[in-house]
């Protein structure tokens, strides 16, 4: 049987969202500690915090390609 499109879309986006959230929680905690120790590292900490969001963007794109 054929899997409905809405199920494919939901799985693609939900999987990426959950994975991003799990990764970003740990990275965010580490980044806060890093900036607390050395305030000059704010730019790098922000970059590492935002980096997992690209995974969610890939899931969003995959949602439309599936």
């Amino acid at each position: 049987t054929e899997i409905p499109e809405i199920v494919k879309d939901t799985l693609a986006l939900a999987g990426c969202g959950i994975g991003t959230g799990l990764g970003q929680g740990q990275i965010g905690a580490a980044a806060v500690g890093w900036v607390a120790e050395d305030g000059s590292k704010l730019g790098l900490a922000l970059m590492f915090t935002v980096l997992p969001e690209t995974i969610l963007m890939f899931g969003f794109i995959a949602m439309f390609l599936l």
Side-chain angles (χ1 to χ4, degrees), residues 35-49:
V35 171
E37 289 179 4
D38 185 5
S40 67
K41 303 290 185 185
L42 179 63
L44 278 173
L46 186 61
M47 184 189 71
F48 286 130
T49 304

Side-chain angles (χ1 to χ4, degrees), residues 6-62:
I6 190 74
V7 174
K8 292 179 187 178
D9 297 345
T10 303
L11 288 175
L13 196 56
C16 289
I18 291 170
T20 297
L22 291 173
Q24 199 165 19
Q26 295 174 354
I27 292 170
V32 167
W34 196 26
V35 171
E37 289 179 4
D38 185 5
S40 67
K41 303 290 185 185
L42 179 63
L44 278 173
L46 186 61
M47 184 189 71
F48 286 130
T49 304
V50 174
L51 197 60
E53 289 295 324
T54 58
I55 298 169
L56 188 60
M57 289 181 213
F58 292 147
F60 190 70
I61 293 169

